[in-house]
Amino acid sequence: MRFDVVSIFPEYLAPLDLSLIGKARTQGLLELAVHDLRSHTVDRHRTVDDTPYGGGAGMVMKAEPWAQSLAQIAAASPVSDGAKPTLIVPSPAGEVFNQQLAYELAAEEHLVFACGRYEGIDERVLEWAAEEYNVRPVSLGDYVLNGGEVAVLAMVEAIGRLIPGVVGNPESLVEESHADGLLEYPVYTKPSSWRGRDVPEVLLSGNHGKIAKFRKELQLRRTAVRRPDLIAALDVAAFSKADKNVLWELGYAIVNGRAVQRDAVVEPD
Ligand code: ADE
């Protein structure tokens, strides 16, 4: 899999040389190149921005350096004939990045990231790029960063670790938060008693069935408290009786295969 990142701050992407992603690059599991947008400017000041048409605060990134850079990257794309690379444009105005999108993007051959700064990139670049790319504006969440670089660090890590071979033990991908629509259960290590706090007894029992049941219950409890939006999105039709009982205890009824907060169900008069 190949990643290309375009930025006016290439040094911002230096952490991608480290840790699991750095190691995956050295092992040839993924290729990643960072490009300086300013290398496609022609003026003395290497200008990449200008004032917005229609007025308003801040500056907008000029179209031409982006077109030059993206055309060069598309021309060298490894994607098979007829397919297009995907262009991710980090933006608070994009679709929200999540684990499902990470899985979807990890199946692609070539991802290109266009890190905008200031008020964003001239919109015509995104329209123009659609000829050569599948263009996807993507947001990290409902808050505003100063530029796309931090979002790219997060997305490359989340996507890169799903590429086969990058994470040593693929089992750990199955059990982590969001893999099954729930938050991960809490974890503990030695010593079993620490500063007066004991590890839950069942985890020391060696009874794998009981441990799995206990962990699932904690996943449900934690998700209900921290992320009730995830509980509402669950398909609970195939849940075990025990899991349904936990949901009931947490204040949910099962209506048409969905967990609905019982106090939200309106009884007919
Ligand atoms: N650039 C600025 N804010 C952003 C966000 N929330 N997500 C992705 N890219 C951004």
Side-chain angles (χ1 to χ4, degrees):
M1 182 169 188
R2 181 173 173 85
F3 295 82
D4 284 279
V5 185
V6 185
S7 165
I8 57 167
F9 295 122
E11 322 81 64
Y12 223 122
L13 286 309
L16 297 176
D17 289 334
L18 305 173
S19 189
L20 276 188
I21 298 297
K23 204 167 133 213
R25 289 170 73 183
T26 329
Q27 291 174 329
L29 291 170
L30 65 89
E31 263 184 278
L32 188 147
V34 180
H35 309 265
D36 186 353
L37 180 70
R38 287 193 204 275
S39 68
H40 294 280
T41 55
V42 285
D43 64 314
R44 202 156 58 89
H45 301 290
R46 311 185 83 201
T47 312
V48 290
D49 62 329
D50 209 332
T51 51
Y53 277 118
M59 300 291 271
V60 174
M61 294 192 102
K62 292 164 72 63
E64 191 54 23
W66 279 110
Q68 301 271 339
S69 177
L70 296 176
Q72 191 178 66
I73 293 167
S77 178
V79 294
S80 356
D81 271 354
K84 288 177 178 178
T86 294
L87 177 65
I88 313 266
V89 186
S91 159
E95 65 181 304
V96 176
F97 187 73
N98 60 18
Q99 192 66 11
Q100 194 192 322
L101 186 51
Y103 270 105
E104 200 183 307
L105 295 173
E108 300 274 333
E109 235 180 312
H110 188 196
L111 299 179
V112 180
F113 294 87
C115 299
R117 284 258 144 190
Y118 317 115
E119 298 307 307
I121 303 171
D122 187 316
E123 189 66 19
R124 291 169 296 180
V125 173
L126 279 68
E127 295 163 17
W128 167 88
E131 292 224 350
E132 302 271 6
Y133 290 95
N134 296 315
V135 181
R136 291 183 86 154
V138 178
S139 171
L140 220 53
D142 294 340
Y143 46 83
V144 179
L145 302 165
N146 284 334
E149 287 79 3
V150 166
V152 168
L153 289 174
M155 287 191 267
V156 169
E157 181 152 320
I159 297 163
R161 63 194 292 283
L162 300 178
I163 297 169
V166 173
V167 169
N169 179 2
E171 275 288 292
S172 54
L173 299 182
V174 177
E175 294 194 0
E176 65 195 7
S177 287
H178 304 292
D180 56 2
L182 294 171
L183 302 183
E184 194 176 24
Y185 49 75
V187 293
Y188 306 88
T189 187
K190 295 174 208 60
S192 62
S193 185
W194 174 78
R195 298 195 182 199
R197 291 164 194 276
D198 292 341
V199 167
E201 185 107 27
V202 59
L203 298 179
L204 311 177
S205 71
N207 183 329
H208 297 297
K210 265 195 184 167
I211 291 172
K213 193 165 164 254
F214 174 75
R215 284 179 164 165
K216 183 70 181 286
E217 177 173 339
L218 292 189
Q219 279 191 281
L220 286 166
R221 287 189 185 283
R222 182 181 257 192
T223 309
V225 172
R226 297 183 187 172
R227 293 291 304 276
D229 58 310
L230 295 182
I231 297 279
L234 288 172
D235 176 6
V236 288
F239 267 36
S240 69
K241 184 89 186 108
D243 293 341
K244 284 181 182 161
N245 283 343
V246 174
L247 282 174
W248 180 265
E249 234 185 88
L250 290 166
Y252 290 89
I254 313 280
V255 181
N256 299 329
R258 298 272 163 202
V260 181
Q261 269 171 329
R262 287 206 299 274
D263 58 15
V265 178
V266 180
E267 300 284 348
D269 287 333

